[in-house]
């Protein structure tokens, strides 16, 4: 049995951040357990941003991307006509940052002020902004010459950015698209014609508007949590990274967490934490591991024959995620990405551009443009996130790479539908029961219907006249609200942003304390991942998870110093 000061369970985004920050103190011994594999940042399929489109394609498994994915299956959602939905997550050191779309979005100021007002002092926007800045290396500020020709609306983007909202020198490289598709400016002009403003920085003073997405890339390559946080720390002698290790149970001595039991290659081992166990396995696995360890709703635990060690009814409740629908349009040209006889030569050139200059199509996440809009005049702040994708290709259907067109997506930012995570059994090797309850509240469907109409409105603007072909989806026969609703029920997907299943707060359903992220009623057990968010933020969740983990690391360090002071006294 091995003992460390801190044992981090989960080497995803939050785990990598905390491991890096805690090991800045050479006197602190840290172990990090991760079920996935290590050093995936070296693989071309990961380094090339375009590789992400293959990660969920079984017929392209030979490329290696599928090995880095959990493909959880949700319970049927009544709002989707009792259909099930795939819920992918990253299975690698660096977690979902190794397989995601690399879009860097912080969310809206109101999101964090709402967290604060829900009983979480210290988590308002003004409290969290310093951690966004601390974690960031904003390319426009640190390497201005690299983006001197980058424009939006005919003006240099650099002139439209308030650098007070950004940081330099942090681990996370935040950059503009390296080689944006030539149809992106057409999309911007169409959005303006439809009455939407342009916005060069969704992470600045105001999120609302249409523009380019900022990406977690460096020099045209993916820059996930393994590259940004794990790699700088891995050579420190006080960090031990144990990959391909499945956590089975949190070890408890009464109400105090003492370590973790885990399985590595069939060998069951225990690892001890002298100071804290830090759970960082995400919104699906963190509640599952708590429940398997006897921490949760007594009814749920007893149903599976698990001894109740600590009653905490909020564990696994309050699951929130973003749901998304789309339209697809063929083009009259071959400017968008796809496979056709006429583009064989240019596609080969893109391969050459990637290997020689890290430019071209292979630096694309296929969603370089988008924005945040209000779905109607009755909405006080953006409630839809739009994406303009320079291909019709779907991650679920490799054959759709053939032909040229674009897809637009509309994502519901603040769903009213809430689900839960439970257990299918007491077997730690079985996936958790995940019931997202997508579109369970009629309001969510209403907003997505508005989203389809808005995407069509933008598509039908004069700017797209030279390019617009036939609408592939939903198709011209889908016009009424009922028709659109039926289409959405069979053509929707999660945006892979699950949160809030171990929420921070002080109410009866809260799981962790806001001033410490320690589990209520227990000692030496903290949770640091997206599960502690009281509500899902208005945008992609990578950047908020990093900021939560940066703040958590400071809280943990402060506890460690206080503990040492008490011991010395």
């Amino acid at each position: 049995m091995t003992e460390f000061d801190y044992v981090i369970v989960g080497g995803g985004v939050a785990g990598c951040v905390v491991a890096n920050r805690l090991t800045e103190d050479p006197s602190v011994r840290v172990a990090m357990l991760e079920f996935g594999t290590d050093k995936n940042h070296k693989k071309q399929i990961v380094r090339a941003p375009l590789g992400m489109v293959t990660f969920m394609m079984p017929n392209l498994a030979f490329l290696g991307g599928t090995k880095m994915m959990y493909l959880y299956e949700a319970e049927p959602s009544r709002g989707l006509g009792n259909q099930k939905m795939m819920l992918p997550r990253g299975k690698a050191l660096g977690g979902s940052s190794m397989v995601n779309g690399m879009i860097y979005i912080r969310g809206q100021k109101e999101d964090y002020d709402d967290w604060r007002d829900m009983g979480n002092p210290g988590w308002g926007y003004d409290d969290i902004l310093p951690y966004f800045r601390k974690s960031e290396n904003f390319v426009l500020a640190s390497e201005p010459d690299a983006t001197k020709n980058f424009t939006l609306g005919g003006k240099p983007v650099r002139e439209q950015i308030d650098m007070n909202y950004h940081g330099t020198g942090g681990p996370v490289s935040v950059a503009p698209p390296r080689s944006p598709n030539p149809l992106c400016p057409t999309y911007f002009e169409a959005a303006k014609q439809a009455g939407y403003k342009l916005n060069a920085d969704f992470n600045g003073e105001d999120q609302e508007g249409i523009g380019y997405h900022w990406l977690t890339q460096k020099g045209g390559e993916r820059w996930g949590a393994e590259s940004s946080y794990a790699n700088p720390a891995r050579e420190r002698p006080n960090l031990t990274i144990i990959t391909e290790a499945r956590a089975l149970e949190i070890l408890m001595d009464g109400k105090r967490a003492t370590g973790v039991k885990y399985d590595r290659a069939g060998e069951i081992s225990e690892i001890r934490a002298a100071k804290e166990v830090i759970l960082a396995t995400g919104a699906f696995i963190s509640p599952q591991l708590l429940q398997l360890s006897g921490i949760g709703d007594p009814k749920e635990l007893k149903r599976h024959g698990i001894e109740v060690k600590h009653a905490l009814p909020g564990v696994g409740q309050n699951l929130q995620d973003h749901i998304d629908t789309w339209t697809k349009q063929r083009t009259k040209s071959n400017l968008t990405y796809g496979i056709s006889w006429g583009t064989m030569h240019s596609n080969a050139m893109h391969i050459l551009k990637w290997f020689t200059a890290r430019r071209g199509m292979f630096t694309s996440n296929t969603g370089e443009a988008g924005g945040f809009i209000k779905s109607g005049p009755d909405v006080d702040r953006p409630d839809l996130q739009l994406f303009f994708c320079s291909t019709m290709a779907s991650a679920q259907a490799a054959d759709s790479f053939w032909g040229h067109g674009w897809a637009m997506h509309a994502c519901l930012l603040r769903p009213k539908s809430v689900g839960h995570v439970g257990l299918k059994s007491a077997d730690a090797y079985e996936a958790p029961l995940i019931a997202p309850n997508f579109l369970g509240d009629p309001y969510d469907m209403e907003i997505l219907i508005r989203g389809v109409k808005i995407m069509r409105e933008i598509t039908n603007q004069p700017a797209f006249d030279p390019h617009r072909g036939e609408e592939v989806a939903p198709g011209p026969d889908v016009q009424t609200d009922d028709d659109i609703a039926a289409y959405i029920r069979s053509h929707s997907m999660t945006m892979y942003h699950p949160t809030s299943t171990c929420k921070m707060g002080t109410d009866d359903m809260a799981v962790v304390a806001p001033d410490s992220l320690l589990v209520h009623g227990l000692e030496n057990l903290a949770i640091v991942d997206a599960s502690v968010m009281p509500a899902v933020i208005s945008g992609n969740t990578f950047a908020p998870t990093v900021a939560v983990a940066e703040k958590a690391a400071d809280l943990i360090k402060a506890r460690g110093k206080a503990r040492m002071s008490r011991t010395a006294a």
Side-chain angles (χ1 to χ4, degrees):
M1 185 185 304
T2 309
E3 182 174 273
F4 294 83
D5 294 308
Y6 298 96
V7 174
I8 301 170
V9 188
V13 173
C16 287
V17 173
V18 175
N20 179 296
R21 294 308 188 189
L22 293 185
T23 55
E24 289 175 336
D25 180 348
S27 69
V28 170
R29 300 162 300 150
V30 178
M32 180 165 62
L33 302 176
E34 165 56 38
F35 182 54
T37 54
D38 194 0
K39 300 182 180 178
N40 291 289
H41 69 285
K42 296 182 177 181
K43 299 177 180 177
Q44 287 291 339
I45 194 70
V46 175
R47 295 169 69 183
L50 189 65
M52 58 166 285
V53 301
T54 71
F55 289 162
M56 288 183 283
M57 296 180 179
N59 50 347
L60 294 180
F62 66 93
L63 295 174
T66 56
K67 295 178 182 179
M68 297 171 56
M69 301 290 292
Y70 297 102
L71 293 177
Y72 297 115
E73 186 177 65
E75 296 298 300
S77 291
R78 186 164 55 183
L80 295 176
N82 289 323
Q83 295 186 72
K84 296 183 178 182
M85 189 177 287
M86 198 66 72
L87 304 173
R89 304 305 297 152
K91 184 173 64 175
L93 189 68
S96 293
S97 73
M98 305 305 291
V99 299
N100 67 4
M102 295 157 283
I103 295 175
Y104 182 88
I105 298 292
R106 296 174 177 178
Q108 298 168 13
K109 295 179 181 180
E110 295 89 344
D111 296 330
Y112 302 99
D113 289 344
D114 285 348
W115 286 8
R116 177 198 62 204
D117 297 342
M118 293 166 67
N120 298 286
W123 291 92
Y125 180 76
D126 291 342
D127 302 302
I128 204 78
L129 178 60
Y131 291 103
F132 283 123
R133 297 180 76 246
K134 176 183 180 180
S135 64
E136 183 183 37
N137 184 45
F138 192 57
V139 168
L140 253 70
S142 61
E143 304 173 43
D145 288 343
T147 56
K148 61 184 178 182
N149 296 322
F150 192 60
T151 64
L152 177 68
K155 300 177 183 178
V157 169
R158 190 187 313 109
E159 296 178 3
Q160 304 176 56
I161 301 290
D162 184 346
M163 295 300 177
N164 291 318
Y165 287 93
H166 295 282
T168 58
V172 179
S173 177
V174 179
R178 185 84 160 177
S179 300
N181 188 272
L183 266 190
C184 288
T186 304
Y187 172 70
F188 300 146
E189 183 61 27
K192 284 177 60 180
Q193 291 171 348
Y196 301 100
K197 69 177 183 178
L198 299 185
N199 186 349
D201 187 7
F202 303 135
N203 301 306
E205 174 69 23
D206 182 14
Q207 188 195 60
E208 185 175 1
I210 303 293
Y212 286 108
H213 288 130
W214 297 100
L215 306 174
T216 51
Q217 294 185 6
K218 187 173 184 179
E221 296 186 2
R222 174 186 292 274
W223 195 252
E226 183 180 22
S227 298
S228 55
Y229 282 98
N231 285 346
R234 71 165 71 244
E235 300 305 322
R236 296 171 185 165
N238 57 335
L239 175 62
T240 299
I241 299 174
I242 305 172
T243 55
E244 300 179 71
R246 181 192 291 270
L248 303 176
E249 182 183 356
I250 301 165
L251 301 173
M252 304 292 296
D253 180 5
K255 297 294 183 179
R256 182 169 62 90
T258 59
V260 179
K261 180 188 293 186
Y262 68 96
D263 178 355
R264 190 165 192 259
E267 181 178 344
I268 307 300
S269 302
E270 293 183 358
I271 188 169
R272 296 287 175 172
K275 294 181 179 178
E276 292 184 22
V277 174
I278 302 165
L279 193 54
T281 44
F284 295 153
I285 303 302
S286 286
Q288 182 196 29
L289 192 53
L290 287 173
Q291 292 167 352
L292 290 170
S293 306
I295 303 165
D297 185 344
K299 293 180 180 179
E300 175 74 2
L301 302 181
K302 290 176 181 178
R303 188 164 66 92
H304 297 286
I306 297 173
E307 177 189 354
V308 179
K309 296 179 181 177
H310 185 61
L312 206 57
V315 171
Q317 300 302 307
N318 197 43
L319 172 62
Q320 299 175 40
D321 197 355
H322 291 140
I323 189 167
D324 166 279
T325 192
W326 58 87
T327 63
K328 290 188 177 184
Q329 197 84 26
R330 293 197 187 278
T331 60
K332 298 176 182 177
S333 67
N334 59 9
L335 291 177
T336 57
Y337 302 137
I339 299 173
S340 62
W341 296 115
T343 58
M344 292 299 184
H345 174 72
S346 61
N347 286 343
M349 291 302 296
H350 280 298
I351 296 174
L352 183 63
K353 288 179 181 177
W354 163 253
F355 282 107
T356 59
R358 290 299 192 257
R359 293 194 178 274
M361 176 175 64
F362 284 85
T363 68
S364 174
N365 68 341
T366 73
E368 299 121 333
F372 297 84
I373 64 168
K374 300 170 185 175
S375 65
D378 56 333
V379 178
D380 62 354
R381 59 188 173 111
D383 58 343
L384 284 173
Q385 183 175 5
L386 302 184
F387 299 84
F388 177 69
C389 299
S390 49
T391 177
M392 290 192 300
S394 165
Q396 289 80 25
D399 57 358
S400 67
F401 282 123
W402 188 265
H404 296 276
W406 68 76
M408 293 187 189
H409 288 249
C411 169
L412 177 64
L413 288 175
R414 290 181 299 280
K416 292 190 176 182
S417 305
V418 175
H420 71 275
V421 173
L423 297 176
K424 292 180 180 178
S425 73
D427 185 355
Y429 297 88
E430 187 170 7
L433 182 149
I434 307 170
N437 188 31
F438 288 127
L439 301 181
D441 191 302
Y443 175 83
D444 294 352
M445 176 62 83
E446 176 187 342
I447 302 304
L448 283 183
I449 290 172
R450 294 183 187 184
V452 171
K453 294 178 179 178
I454 289 169
M455 290 187 289
R456 281 175 157 175
E457 177 190 25
I458 294 173
T459 297
N460 290 327
Q461 295 303 313
F464 273 124
D465 285 351
H467 308 282
R468 186 175 51 249
E470 65 176 322
E471 182 182 272
V472 177
D477 294 337
V478 177
Q479 295 297 331
T480 69
D481 285 4
D482 287 344
D483 290 341
I484 296 173
Y487 167 81
I488 290 171
R489 278 191 284 271
S490 58
H491 294 80
S492 57
M493 59 187 283
T494 167
M495 288 306 290
Y496 323 127
H497 302 153
T499 69
S500 308
T501 51
C502 298
K503 72 169 187 173
M504 69 172 97
T506 55
D507 60 274
D508 291 342
M509 297 302 288
V511 177
V512 297
D515 61 347
S516 64
L517 297 188
L518 291 169
V519 175
H520 284 300
L522 297 179
E523 299 176 30
N524 299 351
L525 178 60
I527 305 178
V528 182
D529 56 35
S531 73
V532 305
M533 298 178 185
V536 67
I537 61 96
S538 303
N540 306 66
T541 49
F542 168 81
T545 301
V546 169
V548 166
E550 286 275 16
K551 181 176 172 67
D554 278 356
L555 296 174
I556 295 166
K557 287 181 176 181
R559 283 200 294 275
K561 291 179 180 178
R563 191 180 291 111
M564 289 179 62
S565 297
R566 289 194 300 269
T567 302

